[in-house]
Amino acid sequence: MGASHSGPDTRELRELSEKTGFSVDQIENLNRRFQQLSKNKETLRREDFDKVTDLDVNPIRAQIIEAFFDKRNYSGMQTGPVEEINFEQFLTVMSHFRPLKARMTEEQIASLRKEKLQFLFNMYDIDADGKISLEDYRHLVEDLLSRNPHLGKESASVTSIADAAMLEAVTIIKGQMEPHQVYEGMTFEDFVKIWEGIDIETKMHVRFLNVETPHFCK
Amino acid sequence: MWLGNLPRSSSRRGTYLFLLVFLLGTVLPLGVASSPDSHGTDAPQDTKHEASNGHGHHGNESHTAVKKAFPVLNFEYESVRLPFEIALWILLASLMKLGFHLIPRLSSFVPESCLLIVVGLLVGGLIKIVGEKSPVLHSQIFFLYLLPPIILDAGYFLPIRPFSENIGTILVFAVIGTLWNSFFIGGLLYGVCQIGGKDLEKIGLLPNLLFGAIISAVDPVAVLAVFEEIHINELLHILVFGESLLNDAVTVVLYHLFEEYAGVGSVTFLDVPLGFICFFVVALGGVFVGLAYGLLAAFTSRFTTHTRVIEPLFAFLYSYMAYLSAEVFHLSGIMALIACGVVMRPYIEANISHKSHTTIKYFLKMWSSVSETLIFIFLGVSTVAGPHSWNWTFVICTLVFCLVARVLGVVGLTYIINKFRIVKLTTKDQFIIAYGGLRGAIAFSLGYLLPPDHFPMRDMFLTAIITVIFFTVFVQGMTIQPLVDLLAVKKKQETKRSINEEIHSQFLDHLLTGIEDVCGHYGHHHWKDKLNRFNKKYIKKCLIAGDRSKEPQLIAFYHKMEMKQAIELVETGGIAKIPSAVSTVSMQNIQPKQKVTERALPQLSKGKEEEIRKILRTNLQKTRQRLRSYNRHTLVADPYEDAWNQMLIRRQKVKQMEKRMNNYLTVPANHPDSPTMSRARLSSDPNAYIPKPKAGIPAITVDPASPQSPESLNLVDELSKRTEEEEEEGIVMKMHTPSTDEVFTSNNAEKEQRLMRCLSDPGPHPEGEEEEPFLP
């Protein structure tokens, strides 16, 4: 696995660790994975994700890959897609999936939760207009059902499910609405409201291992 | 309830009086019935009497006995004795349960299990006073008849997600926790026995260890009974409950191991690894047996479309067979039953009719409730009746050691487990887990099973077991609710599964699986995803009938939800219970801005829309009556005009209903008869008139038995298929567009159809009348 690229040195590692919240071991592990995917180049492009064959059966594959290349998921305030990402950006995106640490204050937990919800929001909001509209919801449901070969009448079911879901969500958010008012789309605050009862911070995590995992070269 | 009409004080007195009289009334015949001896002497006389009379009736010539007058009234009890007793006991149990909930405040601070044991004590006492021999809870009856319904109920309705997420923790508590408990208690008791009085010295190490094994297992029946009422949060509930279910394997192995060798007197070192292997065999074997029967049940249910009535029977029989088969090989019957229930549930639910599903649910609940009640009552009765041998040292030490072992075990194991858990268990959680370790009837029955010749100290064991059970159920059971409130433990959140949640959780699953794949390590999501895909690709095809096998989970869930909401609304009558926070959000509020496309239809202003709507509504009221006689569909319905009035009343309700409906449900305009719906229709009324689909006419069936909305949802909107405008206007939010459209079909006014379409967004006014020909 060509070790020609030395990767970030210890000082950079520590910086990254502080910024993203991973431990140094985890960062090294992820770095190895990054090298593997990018064929030891500095940056990762969309095509490199083709190597992860497991993703092929994932119905939301495109959106997951897009999430890596979406500027909204980096620490800045920019929006829009990028063509290639470096390791730091890769790590930043991954850091959204950190589990809760043992001792976290209430505020830390709240901010972690907000971070994760923002990531989710960005994934739902495909057209990046800051709102999740009915169209976005329909795309979402369509994707989720897209892996099913059977659906001949999919459009009807998709639209009905998406509409019901949106209706329900809006009911939670707004409560009462006059018939002539139009609801443009969910903003981030509304989105947070829907997730109120659910502890996303415990659900949305991936176990990042400290020890080296056997990589399957795909 | 007649009780409700009386003033408060007299009603309470009345209830007490009722209970007392009833108790006496049933106990006496029960006591008399239960003892075979008192009838032993009478029986031969009676039968002889019967025989003589019987023969006398047929042929006088063959019998030279004394001829009595033909008995008009006979008393023959022996032949019905057994079923009579059983039925009487079950009746007593159920009436007791009924009685508790009539007493106003008792059930809120005393858990039902305590009350039932008290009743059992009373009954046992009464029987003893009367002088009869009281029935004891025979272990065979307990294990073969009383325990399986409870376990099956638990397994069938086991919440899979939290269970599988916490399976590691549950297994650690169940296996290692129980092992620790048994050895700790057994070992310490042995020590106590050695230094105790001279009675205790005779008890060797092995009997003590056996006793430890029996007493250390947390009992699912008791846990269920108590935790049901305290509504604790899901995590803790599943931890304690899961532990109580899975520790059965450990208990079985330890019990048989020690019992086997207690007779011999010693355990060699070879037996320890054999014990380990036995444990795996017992546990995995039980699960395997359950799995096999579960798959069989699922497969059978695939073919039951024509014999809906016996569908629930298959579910019950296969599960019971799984339990019995496991017991034959001394495998863990409980785990077999759980595995069977868990495995067969998704497939059976996809295959069987809605009514069968309800039947299964209610039968299971009913049986498990009755079983539970009987178990506790019998426990009380056995306490009074059973031979006791009280030994202060032994009993007190047992109690103390049980508590100490439990606390130490939980704390120690949590410390280790928390290193691997994402959601750590807090001290409060640990306290509840430790406090919730209740013992129950399983321990008693296992003790009862001990052969007295090998275990001369059996009576003392039984006494100690009963003391521990009483302590845990009464003290811990009664105080856990106030403690939960005191410690402000998180309660169960009453969230209804919504379509949003389903979408989000599926999305999250896929997202996390994807991220894991990108990271390159095969984590827990990856395997879950693989299992799901395998399930979808191969297993579902075999086990689920027809089209349902390919239905994606999201759509199945959506249908289920629609159905549930529809039924709910019909049941509440629509009118009465419109919640104050009814949302007026409807489809038109969330429609995305329409792209301006060419419409053949003039744009109407709001005022005009209202006018048109009003006109149409009034017209429809008239036209319905007019059209009743010559609409193609109502021609068939003419003979049923009497029922039309019933229809009118129901329509009132429906009008109210749709107001709420419109907020929740959407009608996919092109929605064909999904197999779920058609099956629901078919199954709910086998004689439903199924009209042949005529070209251009919507197919309508009205099944008065089932809620109207699903049928309405089924109606194929012929008109909407024809028009391309369908896309532009979004979703038609009406339930009964087709009906109203069908009215217009006969007039065939194209314009009116289009008007109906554009007016289809329900304003605050109820929509136009629906025309529903009454077909049987």
Side-chain angles (χ1 to χ4, degrees):
Chain A
M1 203 141 312
S4 49
H5 197 317
S6 58
D9 58 19
T10 31
R11 190 179 54 87
E12 286 174 20
L13 280 177
R14 253 181 287 124
E15 270 177 38
L16 281 174
S17 168
E18 275 170 44
K19 232 200 247 174
T20 57
F22 284 123
S23 76
V24 177
D25 293 328
Q26 288 171 331
I27 295 182
E28 280 182 1
N29 225 3
L30 286 171
N31 192 32
R32 266 187 286 261
R33 180 64 175 168
F34 184 82
Q35 306 289 0
Q36 192 191 3
L37 286 177
S38 69
K39 294 201 259 281
N40 295 321
K41 295 204 296 284
E42 287 273 341
T43 57
L44 207 55
R45 310 180 75 91
R46 286 194 179 78
E47 301 79 54
D48 295 323
F49 279 93
D50 293 338
K51 275 199 229 71
V52 186
T53 50
D54 283 325
L55 269 184
D56 289 342
V57 286
N58 200 316
I60 55 172
R61 175 177 191 268
Q63 279 164 294
I64 295 179
I65 297 182
E66 269 314 302
F68 278 95
F69 293 91
D70 192 343
K71 276 205 215 146
R72 287 178 295 173
N73 291 330
Y74 311 144
S75 20
M77 275 295 141
Q78 305 160 313
T79 59
V82 292
E83 281 307 311
E84 41 185 35
I85 59 173
N86 60 22
F87 181 58
E88 188 178 328
Q89 291 163 319
F90 182 75
L91 262 192
T92 317
V93 172
M94 285 297 195
S95 72
H96 288 100
F97 295 92
R98 266 176 302 145
L100 289 181
K101 291 229 214 319
R103 282 167 233 289
M104 286 181 101
T105 62
E106 282 298 319
E107 331 168 327
Q108 283 177 320
I109 296 181
S111 80
L112 190 63
R113 181 188 164 86
K114 193 143 183 259
E115 224 178 275
K116 297 192 190 226
L117 283 177
Q118 181 71 50
F119 184 80
L120 267 185
F121 184 80
N122 292 339
M123 283 199 81
Y124 286 167
D125 186 13
I126 305 172
D127 47 13
D129 57 358
K131 297 199 179 74
I132 304 180
S133 63
L134 191 60
E135 291 299 320
D136 292 331
Y137 245 85
R138 284 189 189 156
H139 278 297
L140 177 67
V141 177
E142 219 174 280
D143 282 337
L144 281 178
L145 294 173
S146 64
R147 284 293 149 171
N148 220 279
H150 163 68
L151 296 171
K153 298 97 179 172
E154 57 209 291
S155 54
S157 316
V158 167
T159 36
S160 64
I161 294 180
D163 293 336
M166 187 73 174
L167 207 55
E168 199 187 78
V170 173
T171 313
I172 298 176
I173 296 169
K174 287 283 184 176
Q176 303 276 349
M177 270 183 89
E178 295 304 311
H180 58 269
Q181 284 177 322
V182 180
Y183 185 71
E184 294 284 341
M186 265 194 271
T187 59
F188 182 58
E189 289 73 41
D190 297 336
F191 188 68
V192 169
K193 233 197 215 170
I194 301 181
W195 285 89
E196 234 168 53
I198 312 170
D199 50 348
I200 185 73
E201 57 268 18
T202 49
K203 288 205 168 113
M204 184 166 148
H205 68 266
V206 171
R207 216 183 273 273
F208 292 105
L209 303 177
N210 284 329
V211 295
E212 172 158 349
T213 48
H215 291 296
F216 292 85
C217 309
K218 296 197 193 98
Chain B
M1 271 308 164
W2 58 273
L3 277 177
N5 294 331
L6 302 174
R8 260 188 84 97
S9 58
S10 66
S11 82
R12 216 179 299 165
R13 264 187 271 129
T15 327
Y16 293 148
L17 196 61
F18 164 72
L19 281 177
L20 191 61
V21 165
F22 177 71
L23 255 174
L24 283 174
T26 42
V27 162
L28 285 176
L30 213 48
V32 170
S34 309
S35 61
D37 310 329
S38 63
H39 279 285
T41 48
D42 293 331
Q45 270 184 5
D46 276 344
T47 44
K48 219 169 42 170
H49 197 77
E50 292 306 312
S52 63
N53 282 327
H55 287 304
H57 176 75
H58 286 302
N60 272 338
E61 61 275 14
S62 58
H63 208 87
T64 51
V66 180
K67 182 178 185 295
K68 297 210 166 84
F70 180 67
V72 176
L73 206 57
N74 266 331
F75 181 82
E76 192 196 329
Y77 183 65
E78 271 313 303
S79 56
V80 295
R81 188 170 71 86
L82 190 60
F84 193 85
E85 283 175 31
I86 295 176
L88 210 51
W89 273 109
I90 299 182
L91 192 61
L92 169 72
S94 316
L95 286 166
M96 282 300 116
K97 232 178 143 88
L98 204 69
F100 293 146
H101 291 284
L102 288 177
I103 302 177
R105 268 165 303 155
L106 194 58
S107 50
S108 56
F109 62 86
V110 182
E112 221 172 73
S113 40
C114 303
L115 293 171
L116 288 170
I117 295 188
V118 169
V119 167
L121 288 173
L122 285 175
V123 170
L126 279 169
I127 293 185
K128 224 177 189 166
I129 294 174
V130 176
E132 308 295 345
K133 186 170 103 69
S134 52
V136 196
L137 185 61
H138 291 288
S139 298
Q140 286 305 96
I141 302 180
F142 175 74
F143 280 116
L144 292 182
Y145 301 113
L146 292 179
L147 191 61
I150 303 180
I151 304 294
L152 181 59
D153 180 39
Y156 195 79
F157 293 107
L158 196 67
I160 295 294
R161 218 162 223 261
F163 187 74
S164 57
E165 279 172 13
N166 293 299
I167 187 80
T169 317
I170 294 176
L171 278 176
V172 167
F173 275 126
V175 176
I176 305 185
T178 315
L179 280 174
W180 156 258
N181 275 354
S182 336
F183 284 107
F184 184 80
I185 297 174
L188 281 187
L189 275 179
Y190 179 62
V192 165
C193 283
Q194 293 304 313
I195 62 176
K198 66 180 197 56
D199 311 318
L200 299 179
E201 255 175 3
K202 289 183 259 154
I203 309 177
L205 176 64
L206 276 173
N208 272 311
L209 284 177
L210 180 56
F211 180 73
I214 295 176
I215 196 85
S216 63
V218 178
D219 188 83
V221 180
V223 164
L224 254 179
V226 170
F227 271 56
E228 280 276 303
E229 303 182 1
I230 63 178
H231 299 298
I232 207 165
N233 70 46
E234 205 176 48
L235 172 67
L236 289 178
H237 186 218
I238 199 69
L239 282 180
V240 181
F241 185 58
E243 181 196 340
S244 69
L245 289 175
L246 295 186
N247 65 19
D248 180 61
V250 181
T251 314
V252 165
V253 171
L254 285 179
Y255 183 82
H256 285 297
L257 186 69
F258 291 137
E259 194 206 355
E260 202 57 43
Y261 294 113
V264 177
S266 65
V267 179
T268 62
F269 272 119
L270 183 58
D271 298 322
V272 175
L274 278 183
F276 269 120
I277 301 178
C278 183
F279 166 70
F280 282 108
V281 167
V282 162
L284 295 175
V287 171
F288 180 70
V289 167
L291 208 74
Y293 274 101
L295 290 174
L296 266 176
F299 189 66
T300 313
S301 73
R302 185 181 165 180
F303 301 106
T304 56
T305 30
H306 300 288
T307 46
R308 292 286 181 193
V309 191
I310 56 172
E311 271 172 343
L313 206 55
F314 285 119
F316 300 141
L317 284 175
Y318 275 111
S319 322
Y320 194 47
M321 291 286 288
Y323 180 76
L324 294 175
S325 311
E327 287 292 325
V328 166
F329 296 102
H330 271 179
L331 303 173
S332 166
I334 290 185
M335 294 188 83
L337 213 44
I338 303 277
C340 186
V342 165
V343 164
M344 73 180 184
R345 182 176 184 201
Y347 306 110
I348 282 198
E349 288 201 341
N351 279 331
I352 64 178
S353 70
H354 182 73
K355 285 191 176 163
S356 298
H357 178 236
T358 314
T359 311
I360 291 185
K361 182 163 122 173
Y362 277 102
F363 258 86
L364 278 180
K365 296 279 175 210
M366 180 184 81
W367 269 329
S368 67
S369 173
V370 166
S371 277
E372 200 181 290
T373 317
L374 276 176
I375 289 178
F376 283 117
I377 290 188
F378 267 121
L379 212 50
V381 172
S382 309
T383 311
V384 173
H388 287 298
S389 152
W390 181 270
N391 183 306
W392 278 102
T393 340
F394 192 75
V395 173
I396 301 292
C397 288
T398 311
L399 199 54
V400 169
F401 292 151
C402 274
L403 295 174
V404 169
R406 178 80 182 156
V407 172
L408 285 180
V410 168
V411 170
L413 286 175
T414 316
Y415 179 72
I416 302 175
I417 289 172
N418 268 343
K419 295 205 201 305
F420 298 98
R421 277 182 69 90
I422 301 288
V423 182
K424 316 282 182 195
L425 295 172
T426 64
T427 330
K428 260 194 257 177
D429 295 337
Q430 293 174 32
F431 178 72
I432 297 291
I433 296 176
Y435 208 68
L438 308 172
R439 272 60 166 186
I442 291 188
F444 178 77
S445 308
L446 283 176
Y448 202 80
L449 264 181
L450 291 175
D453 41 349
H454 281 160
F455 297 93
M457 70 300 289
R458 178 172 167 268
D459 294 341
M460 192 172 67
F461 281 175
L462 280 178
T463 315
I465 293 175
I466 287 188
T467 318
V468 173
I469 294 178
F470 270 44
F471 183 82
T472 54
V473 172
F474 278 95
V475 175
Q476 289 179 234
M478 280 206 271
T479 54
I480 199 166
Q481 173 74 59
L483 274 175
V484 161
D485 293 333
L486 192 69
L487 293 175
V489 179
K490 256 200 303 192
K491 294 266 182 143
K492 180 156 81 173
Q493 291 174 308
E494 296 294 340
T495 47
K496 282 186 4 175
R497 284 269 329 194
S498 67
I499 186 74
N500 256 314
E501 235 184 88
E502 182 71 17
I503 293 180
H504 290 314
S505 55
Q506 275 204 18
F507 185 84
L508 211 55
D509 276 340
H510 288 301
L511 175 64
L512 293 173
T513 313
I515 296 285
E516 274 189 3
D517 293 333
V518 169
C519 277
H521 79 265
Y522 287 153
H524 145 82
H525 285 104
H526 179 94
W527 293 117
K528 209 159 70 161
D529 190 59
K530 262 215 158 90
L531 185 64
N532 273 333
R533 269 185 282 130
F534 177 71
N535 184 20
K536 212 186 292 189
K537 211 160 153 208
Y538 300 111
I539 304 187
K540 274 193 177 167
K541 287 222 175 81
C542 303
L543 298 179
I544 300 185
D547 275 342
R548 288 295 304 273
S549 58
K550 303 195 205 90
E551 200 175 46
Q553 189 190 349
L554 197 58
I555 295 189
F557 180 80
Y558 180 63
H559 288 328
K560 206 164 31 158
M561 240 199 32
E562 277 186 330
M563 189 88 124
K564 229 190 307 187
Q565 277 176 346
I567 294 177
E568 210 176 281
L569 280 173
V570 172
E571 277 179 1
T572 60
I575 309 174
K577 299 211 191 141
I578 299 180
S580 53
V582 70
S583 168
T584 52
V585 178
S586 57
M587 275 312 299
Q588 61 193 16
N589 294 119
I590 65 173
Q591 283 298 333
K593 291 220 170 57
Q594 306 292 354
K595 302 192 187 61
V596 178
T597 47
E598 207 176 292
R599 291 168 84 107
L601 184 63
Q603 297 286 346
L604 295 167
S605 68
K606 283 247 178 295
K608 278 235 173 100
E609 264 192 41
E610 283 300 315
E611 237 183 284
I612 297 178
R613 220 180 264 157
K614 224 188 292 181
I615 296 172
L616 279 172
R617 210 181 312 131
T618 41
N619 268 334
L620 279 173
Q621 265 170 344
K622 294 185 207 139
T623 43
R624 195 204 358 92
Q625 277 151 8
R626 244 188 310 129
L627 289 174
R628 199 156 64 97
S629 39
Y630 49 80
N631 181 291
R632 215 180 312 212
H633 295 270
T634 53
L635 272 179
V636 188
D638 261 345
Y640 299 89
E641 260 178 70
D642 294 335
W644 187 256
N645 295 327
Q646 221 183 33
M647 279 303 306
L648 288 178
I649 301 173
R650 270 205 292 159
R651 230 179 358 91
Q652 275 300 315
K653 285 203 200 160
V654 169
K655 254 199 294 181
Q656 303 294 327
M657 202 164 70
E658 6 151 329
K659 229 184 181 179
R660 290 180 64 190
M661 277 293 229
N662 288 334
N663 293 332
Y664 300 135
L665 302 183
T666 59
V667 178
N670 264 346
H671 189 91
D673 246 353
S674 86
T676 336
M677 293 304 185
S678 60
R679 200 171 311 119
R681 269 188 305 137
L682 272 179
S683 52
S684 47
D685 189 351
N687 299 324
Y689 165 68
I690 304 171
K692 300 196 190 17
K694 304 189 184 99
I697 303 298
I700 303 175
T701 54
V702 176
D703 185 350
S706 58
Q708 299 179 1
S709 15
E711 278 113 31
S712 311
L713 293 174
N714 282 335
L715 303 180
V716 174
D717 195 345
E718 276 298 324
L719 300 171
S720 61
K721 260 206 229 156
R722 276 190 262 134
T723 56
E724 296 92 275
E725 305 176 14
E726 206 255 322
E727 294 311 316
E728 296 138 332
E729 64 178 0
I731 296 302
V732 175
M733 260 304 286
K734 280 168 35 135
M735 275 174 33
H736 41 263
T737 317
S739 327
T740 355
D741 280 331
E742 160 225 319
V743 168
F744 284 96
T745 316
S746 16
N747 301 341
N748 204 22
E750 184 82 17
K751 190 144 169 257
E752 281 163 280
Q753 289 163 14
R754 300 264 188 91
L755 269 180
M756 280 313 299
R757 199 159 306 297
C758 93
L759 296 178
S760 59
D761 292 348
H765 304 289
E767 208 24 79
E769 312 307 337
E770 59 165 338
E771 150 114 348
E772 197 120 24
F774 185 77
L775 299 170

